[in-house]
Amino acid sequence: MADIQGSYDNLFLAVPNALAAMLDAGDAGGSVAVFVDGEPVVDVWGGYADAARTVPWERDTLVNVWSVTKTMTALCALVLIDRGALDPDAPVARYWPEFAAAGKEKVLVRHLLSHTAGLPDWDGSVEDLYDWPGATARLAARTPRWEPGTAAGYHSLTQGFLVGEVVRRVTGRSVGQFLAEEVTGPLGADFHIGLPAEHDHRVAPAIPPTGQDEDYASSAPGNPAGSEAGNGMRVRDGNSLAWRRAQIPAASGYGNARSVALVQSVLACGGEVNGVRLLSRAGCERAREEQFDGDDRVLGMPTRWGLGYGLFGSACGWGGWGGSLVMIEPDRRLVVAYVTHQMREPAEDTRGMEIVTAAYEGLQGLPS
């Protein structure tokens, strides 16, 4: 069995065993954290941080978690909503006047958070993603693909710019700066949107699925005709220094399982973790207020969206391209985070849910 580092409560032995099984099955490396009441009951890692398997995965190894980043951006918006600085029922144009162009006067802030704004496409190049003013100007000029609020279509790259620009207009700070100063800094969480060069040595680059190379690209089966939403991003793009430095708040966050679980414990624990209160209890509940339930036009499958989070029964959370995932269960004050750089083909990738299932096994042994 693969060597697993870190610590865990014996009730949750199934979790490190699940990670070991994934490494034994061929994965290069990964980390898992399970937090209950804001404290780690599992904090483990194993394998290697490079494709050649010469660099051991360390306690502080970082990885691009792709769309798990959306949960961080959503949390920033929820903090602003809770403070009364941002109104989810307000038109986006109240904060970002240029956004009203092309028939978007009635797009609401909550539409951005729930993927119902009708703006799932990215019509620029990968390089254009690194230009914040240019990217947001492109989106402000676009016409919605459907009447906002009437349908959902996964805004795979665009959501971060849309929500992020609203955050910037309200606070004068980028999402990465706001996250660092108002969320991860106070919590002591090692998560970054816009990774400083000083952390490059800790990054485990993404490894494409077996049989694929760095030109391997993301895809979604239900993309609208002519849309680049959900596809066109290559592994080599995500492994570039330009990607690390850029703030792409839907997809370019760097962290490990511990940092993801710590931050999202804010939602699991009624807004307060380790004496740091970021949200009221009502502010936490907003994340699970259903905004949409039906077939997603881009993902081509049924989805339920809250305010910035996917809804799964009483839980909320989201996963990222390549396998990383976070699941939050406020009713049990539980967060499960799995982070990996080893990609698998999406149709064959059940690793995140295997970790969640293993965590729930341990949860049964705890007092309710």
Side-chain angles (χ1 to χ4, degrees), residues 333-354:
R333 299 173 70 84
L334 168 80
V335 179
V336 184
Y338 167 59
V339 162
T340 182
H341 64 148
Q342 175 68 65
M343 296 179 155
R344 293 189 187 178
E345 295 289 355
E348 304 164 2
D349 195 354
T350 60
R351 292 171 295 174
M353 291 314 299
E354 289 171 20

Side-chain angles (χ1 to χ4, degrees), residues 154 156 217-224 227-232 296-300 346:
Y154 188 49
S156 59
S218 57
S219 64
N223 282 343
S227 171
E228 295 185 21
N231 64 29
D296 186 288
R297 292 189 175 198
V298 172
L299 296 177

Side-chain angles (χ1 to χ4, degrees), residues 34 37 87 120 200 209 320 322:
V34 180
D37 287 323
D87 181 354
D200 281 343

Side-chain angles (χ1 to χ4, degrees), residues 16-147:
N17 284 350
L19 178 61
M22 292 166 190
L23 298 176
D24 287 340
D27 281 6
S31 65
V32 179
V34 180
F35 276 47
V36 177
D37 287 323
E39 297 291 339
V41 294
V42 176
D43 181 6
V44 295
W45 57 92
Y48 297 90
D50 64 329
R53 305 186 184 217
T54 60
V55 180
W57 192 290
E58 303 285 359
R59 183 181 188 276
D60 64 350
T61 295
L62 300 175
V63 65
N64 180 12
V65 299
W66 300 98
S67 285
V68 172
T69 311
K70 290 180 173 69
T71 65
M72 300 295 178
T73 301
L75 186 61
C76 291
L78 289 174
V79 168
L80 290 173
I81 291 169
D82 204 41
R83 293 177 181 176
L86 180 62
D87 181 354
D89 291 313
V92 174
R94 176 186 298 179
Y95 309 100
W96 180 3
E98 300 92 326
F99 186 82
K104 298 194 298 301
E105 303 91 344
K106 296 182 180 178
V107 178
L108 307 180
V109 171
R110 66 172 65 251
H111 296 153
L112 303 185
L113 287 162
S114 59
H115 300 268
T116 60
L119 299 167
D121 312 82
W122 175 250
D123 68 345
S125 67
V126 171
E127 288 69 28
D128 291 327
L129 292 170
Y130 309 145
D131 171 14
W132 186 275
T136 53
R138 279 177 182 270
L139 290 170
R142 287 185 75 78
T143 302
R145 282 192 170 267
W146 58 82
E147 183 182 346

Side-chain angles (χ1 to χ4, degrees), residues 2-367:
D3 185 27
I4 300 298
Q5 304 292 314
S7 60
Y8 56 89
D9 185 302
N10 285 331
L11 284 173
F12 292 86
L13 176 61
V15 177
N17 284 350
L19 178 61
M22 292 166 190
L23 298 176
D24 287 340
D27 281 6
S31 65
V32 179
V34 180
F35 276 47
V36 177
D37 287 323
E39 297 291 339
V41 294
V42 176
D43 181 6
V44 295
W45 57 92
Y48 297 90
D50 64 329
R53 305 186 184 217
T54 60
V55 180
W57 192 290
E58 303 285 359
R59 183 181 188 276
D60 64 350
T61 295
L62 300 175
V63 65
N64 180 12
V65 299
W66 300 98
S67 285
V68 172
T69 311
K70 290 180 173 69
T71 65
M72 300 295 178
T73 301
L75 186 61
C76 291
L78 289 174
V79 168
L80 290 173
I81 291 169
D82 204 41
R83 293 177 181 176
L86 180 62
D87 181 354
D89 291 313
V92 174
R94 176 186 298 179
Y95 309 100
W96 180 3
E98 300 92 326
F99 186 82
K104 298 194 298 301
E105 303 91 344
K106 296 182 180 178
V107 178
L108 307 180
V109 171
R110 66 172 65 251
H111 296 153
L112 303 185
L113 287 162
S114 59
H115 300 268
T116 60
L119 299 167
D121 312 82
W122 175 250
D123 68 345
S125 67
V126 171
E127 288 69 28
D128 291 327
L129 292 170
Y130 309 145
D131 171 14
W132 186 275
T136 53
R138 279 177 182 270
L139 290 170
R142 287 185 75 78
T143 302
R145 282 192 170 267
W146 58 82
E147 183 182 346
T150 64
Y154 188 49
H155 291 42
S156 59
L157 287 173
T158 59
Q159 191 202 40
F161 290 109
L162 295 167
V163 176
E165 182 64 6
V166 171
V167 169
R168 192 185 73 82
R169 297 287 178 126
V170 170
T171 68
R173 292 178 278 178
S174 68
V175 170
Q177 185 181 1
F178 184 87
L179 182 74
E181 294 176 356
E182 303 286 350
V183 179
T184 58
L187 291 173
D190 188 12
F191 193 95
H192 315 266
I193 299 177
L195 188 72
E198 67 200 63
H199 300 299
D200 281 343
H201 69 285
R202 299 197 283 136
V203 172
I207 300 173
T210 302
Q212 301 284 354
D213 61 21
E214 282 206 325
D215 286 326
Y216 177 70
S218 57
S219 64
N223 282 343
S227 171
E228 295 185 21
N231 64 29
M233 285 306 308
R234 301 171 303 171
V235 173
R236 72 171 65 256
D237 300 321
N239 283 340
S240 69
L241 287 178
W243 179 272
R244 291 184 198 174
R245 300 289 177 265
Q247 293 197 29
I248 305 168
S252 73
Y254 285 79
N256 45 44
R258 181 188 318 109
S259 64
V260 172
L262 174 57
V263 172
Q264 297 302 329
S265 287
V266 170
L267 283 187
C269 298
E272 182 177 351
V273 177
N274 297 332
V276 178
R277 176 163 291 283
L278 297 182
L279 287 170
S280 67
R281 188 166 295 278
C284 293
E285 288 300 321
R286 286 191 184 96
R288 293 193 290 172
E289 290 177 359
E290 185 178 283
Q291 307 297 309
F292 177 83
D293 183 3
D295 290 333
D296 186 288
R297 292 189 175 198
V298 172
L299 296 177
M301 66 182 192
T303 56
R304 287 178 65 225
W305 290 112
L307 274 183
Y309 291 76
L311 303 182
F312 309 91
S314 60
C316 63
W318 198 243
W321 186 40
S324 297
L325 174 142
V326 63
M327 193 66 70
I328 305 142
E329 179 60 87
D331 295 349
R332 298 301 301 270
R333 299 173 70 84
L334 168 80
V335 179
V336 184
Y338 167 59
V339 162
T340 182
H341 64 148
Q342 175 68 65
M343 296 179 155
R344 293 189 187 178
E345 295 289 355
E348 304 164 2
D349 195 354
T350 60
R351 292 171 295 174
M353 291 314 299
E354 289 171 20
I355 294 290
V356 170
T357 300
Y360 272 86
E361 285 182 28
L363 199 61
Q364 305 313 310
L366 294 178

